[in-house]
Amino acid sequence: MPFTDRSDLFGAVHENGINRVVRHIMRQRPSLFNYATPFFHNHVEMFCAKFEVDEKVLKAKNPLFTEQELLPILGAPVPIGLNFCLQLSEVAIDFFPGSVFNLPPELGKLSPQRFALHLKGCMGIDCPSRDVIDELLPLIERYLVSQKQLVIGETKENVPGISTHYTPPATTAFNTDREKQHTIPLPTRELICFCLELYAVGYFEWGTVPGSQQTWLKTRLQDLEIVDLQPNNMESAIECYLTTVLKLGILPRLIIPLEKMTLDLTKEFQKMGLPLGRTVQLEPSAVPADVPNNPAVEDDQIKAFFKLTVTGRL
């Protein structure tokens, strides 16, 4: 049966097309998906997840990642910090019946008229070696004494300036002139990396909104799962929080009134100097009067159906 048997206009997008566009964006705009401290400008190989970059990005010398401040050492009397990176390494969408990726057992199989989203994020944090900590600890203690910041009480002892042969930049961190202090990165040898995968299942529905006479298209979250995060109660708590944020904070902002999806063709043709003589509107086909689902999520595609409404004469 032709798709236009119950509609005047039909359009569809295949999941492969959407995922291909996402991959192109990730290659051409890597800074939208990778965040790290300036250290990584000269150490790209230390990113937790390797990522492809379009040659045009390299030729144009566009940024490979978005720069972030160092991760501060909380409680330290001087501004020192750690290098880190945060990456969104995988993004994919899958429409019913599901062929792009497998859902975790907790979510089961993809049900009719459902779509799934898969995200994979990785983070790497520098962990200072014992040698670095052993070198800096007496210097920090010495600095505290010189600044009379000990909890046990003030000291009248004058402590000479601090320097270290281990890492020259650390000398700057212990500068007593507060206005000249900058956050100093501790020496980075390797990162401790970890990755998390998130799966979400959603669907579309038409409904009303209190106080509005219009019909609205709404995106709903059915379920969400973070894979193998331990302990189990921590995983459940984070999943519950993310679910609440999506259902009450983000998705309600994405609802669209039918009026916004209606195109007045009469006005558009008048702008081009082509009067139609009648009122012609293009609007989504009604559910379930015209079609059972609109948009329809099936056959690895998202399908949209529209109808032309022609009324009277101008």
Side-chain angles (χ1 to χ4, degrees):
M1 179 180 67
F3 290 115
T4 53
D5 273 2
R6 290 182 292 177
S7 65
D8 298 305
L9 183 64
F10 164 80
V13 180
H14 198 280
E15 59 193 22
N16 291 343
I18 296 176
N19 291 329
R20 182 174 299 176
V21 170
V22 171
R23 288 194 295 269
H24 282 314
I25 295 175
M26 295 179 75
R27 294 181 70 249
Q28 296 176 9
R29 293 292 185 271
S31 60
L32 297 177
F33 302 89
N34 300 281
Y35 301 82
T37 53
F39 167 83
F40 287 85
H41 283 299
N42 297 321
H43 301 86
V44 179
E45 74 283 354
M46 293 187 68
F47 272 103
C48 294
K50 308 304 178 185
F51 55 94
E52 296 182 1
V53 179
D54 193 290
E55 291 184 2
K56 295 179 181 178
V57 175
L58 299 176
K59 290 181 180 179
K61 297 182 179 180
N62 290 334
L64 301 183
F65 60 90
T66 300
E67 284 193 10
Q68 302 295 303
E69 297 290 335
L70 294 167
L71 188 65
I73 305 299
L74 300 178
V78 290
I80 53 179
L82 302 176
N83 288 303
F84 75 95
C85 67
L86 182 64
Q87 301 174 266
L88 182 58
S89 58
E90 294 182 19
V91 180
I93 195 167
D94 197 1
F95 297 134
F96 178 82
S99 58
V100 177
F101 50 79
N102 295 321
L103 291 174
E106 293 84 353
L107 297 181
K109 293 184 178 180
L110 199 59
S111 302
Q113 298 303 319
R114 298 297 188 266
F115 62 88
L117 182 67
H118 172 224
L119 303 176
K120 182 177 181 180
C122 297
M123 185 174 186
I125 303 176
D126 173 37
C127 183
S129 67
R130 180 174 297 180
D131 291 340
V132 172
I133 293 178
D134 290 344
E135 175 77 15
L136 292 178
L137 181 57
L139 302 179
I140 289 177
E141 294 172 341
R142 194 174 184 181
Y143 177 84
L144 287 171
V145 171
S146 69
Q147 296 299 307
K148 302 179 182 180
Q149 295 177 353
L150 292 179
V151 177
I152 59 175
E154 292 188 358
T155 175
K156 297 181 179 180
E157 180 182 1
N158 291 323
V159 179
I162 296 171
S163 63
T164 172
H165 66 275
Y166 189 86
T167 168
T171 306
T172 309
F174 292 93
N175 193 323
T176 56
D177 188 348
R178 303 295 295 183
E179 294 183 357
K180 296 181 180 179
Q181 287 187 352
H182 301 284
T183 303
I184 303 301
L186 297 185
T188 299
R189 294 179 177 177
E190 62 179 348
L191 301 180
I192 297 178
C193 294
F194 62 91
C195 298
L196 292 177
E197 293 186 79
L198 181 146
Y199 293 85
V201 176
Y203 59 96
F204 300 104
E205 71 174 12
W206 290 92
T208 59
V209 173
S212 172
Q213 301 298 320
Q214 299 187 60
T215 302
W216 298 71
L217 178 63
K218 307 175 182 182
T219 304
R220 299 302 198 195
L221 175 68
Q222 177 175 299
D223 210 345
L224 178 148
E225 175 68 22
I226 300 176
V227 179
D228 296 336
L229 181 62
Q230 297 294 329
N232 291 332
N233 282 347
M234 181 175 70
E235 176 184 324
S236 298
I238 295 176
E239 289 172 351
C240 179
Y241 177 74
L242 291 177
T243 298
T244 304
V245 169
L246 287 169
K247 287 187 174 182
L248 299 182
I250 297 178
L251 295 182
R253 298 176 182 273
L254 303 181
I255 62 175
I256 306 174
L258 177 63
E259 181 183 71
K260 292 294 184 180
M261 292 181 281
T262 300
L263 178 63
D264 191 332
L265 294 179
T266 301
K267 290 184 178 180
E268 296 301 320
F269 276 90
Q270 283 179 340
K271 292 178 182 179
M272 296 184 289
L274 300 172
L276 296 180
R278 291 190 175 186
T279 301
V280 182
Q281 291 186 326
L282 182 66
E283 60 184 14
S285 299
V287 176
D290 300 324
V291 291
N293 298 284
N294 191 22
V297 181
E298 57 195 17
D299 302 326
D300 299 322
Q301 304 172 68
I302 181 170
K303 305 173 182 178
F305 302 88
F306 296 88
K307 63 180 179 181
L308 287 171
T309 303
V310 181
T311 57
R313 300 186 64 85
L314 293 177

